[in-house]
Amino acid sequence: MSIWKCPGQDRSFWKPEDIFESPCPHCGQSIEFWKDDITLRCPNCRQLVGNPRFDPGCAAWCSYASKCLGEMAKTIQSQPQIIRNRLEVALRKKLRPEDHDLLNRSLKAAQKAEAMALAEKADPLIPVAASLVGPAARAKGWSREEVLALLGEGGIDDNTAGRIYQLLESGDDAGNPYRKIIDQATA
C-alpha cells in the first residue's frame, strides 16, 4: 500500500528550479531553499530568512493545509480575499442555475461593499459577506441555521458569522458602522 503525498510536497513532481539559492537579506550569504521551505536560518548570520518563492496558494483550499503548514495555514485561510472566494463558491453551490440573476446581484453588492469599505478604511470582511449572502438569504427565505452554515462553509468563524447574521436581521441598526455600507451596496 502506497502512502499518498501532496503533489506539492512529493519531490518526484519537482522541477530543477524548485531548489534554488537566494542571498540573505541581512548579510548577503547565499542560502539554498527548497520550494517547500517556509523559513531557514542563514548559515552565516543565523538570522531567520523567509523563502522568497514560497507560494502558499494551496493552503487556501486544501483540507490538509494545516498538516503541511501548521499555524501558517490558518493565517492564510483567514485572509479576507480567501474567505470571500470560498463564500462565493459556497453561495454558487447553494443557489440553483435559475437563480443566476440573484447570484449576479449578490456578487455586485459584495463588490460594491468591498470598494466602499476600503474607501472608508474599514475591514471589508463583514460588509462583503453580509452583502454577498444577504440578498440571496432574503430572497430565498433561508433560516438562521442555513445562513450560519453558509458563512461557516466560507471559512468565517462562529463569532463573526453571528455578527454578520445580526446585521442581516437588524435592518435598522444605524449605530453599526457597517450598516451604511451594506445598505448602499445592496440597494
Side-chain angles (χ1 to χ4, degrees):
M1 179 176 170
S2 68
I3 297 176
W4 178 85
K5 275 188 172 182
C6 164
Q9 300 293 321
D10 188 344
R11 293 181 181 155
S12 65
F13 289 99
W14 285 20
K15 299 177 217 87
E17 60 269 16
D18 291 336
I19 300 173
F20 61 96
E21 290 188 3
S22 182
C24 172
H26 305 285
C27 71
Q29 173 74 33
S30 186
I31 303 171
E32 181 182 81
F33 283 97
W34 291 32
K35 77 173 190 172
D36 60 348
D37 291 329
I38 299 171
T39 59
L40 291 175
R41 287 216 179 269
C42 173
N44 186 47
C45 69
R46 307 299 299 154
Q47 293 288 326
L48 203 57
V49 178
N51 181 344
R53 294 190 200 168
F54 181 71
D55 179 14
C58 62
W61 55 266
C62 181
S63 59
Y64 296 102
S66 61
K67 292 180 181 177
C68 273
L69 302 173
E71 286 298 311
M72 184 180 207
K74 288 181 186 172
T75 302
I76 294 164
Q77 291 174 342
S78 66
Q79 293 175 356
Q81 189 59 43
I82 301 296
I83 290 174
R84 178 185 174 174
N85 290 344
R86 285 200 321 249
L87 188 56
E88 183 180 326
V89 167
L91 181 63
R92 287 178 185 274
K93 286 194 292 188
K94 189 159 178 67
L95 292 174
R96 296 187 180 118
E98 61 267 17
D99 295 327
H100 66 276
D101 288 339
L102 179 57
L103 176 64
N104 286 339
R105 192 167 63 240
S106 293
L107 294 173
K108 285 178 185 172
Q111 187 175 22
K112 226 171 149 180
E114 182 174 31
M116 291 171 64
L118 293 174
E120 293 185 20
K121 298 188 183 339
D123 178 8
L125 178 62
I126 290 175
V128 166
S131 299
L132 185 62
V133 173
R138 279 189 293 281
K140 294 296 191 176
W142 291 338
S143 69
R144 180 181 198 278
E145 291 74 27
E146 287 175 295
V147 172
L148 293 176
L150 184 67
L151 293 169
E153 195 175 331
I156 296 175
D157 65 83
D158 292 343
N159 183 39
T160 305
R163 290 175 57 204
I164 293 167
Y165 184 78
Q166 190 66 32
L167 271 168
L168 295 176
E169 283 297 299
S170 60
D172 61 347
D173 183 9
N176 191 302
Y178 299 121
R179 178 84 268 145
K180 177 182 165 191
I181 294 172
I182 295 165
D183 287 348
Q184 288 181 4
T186 58

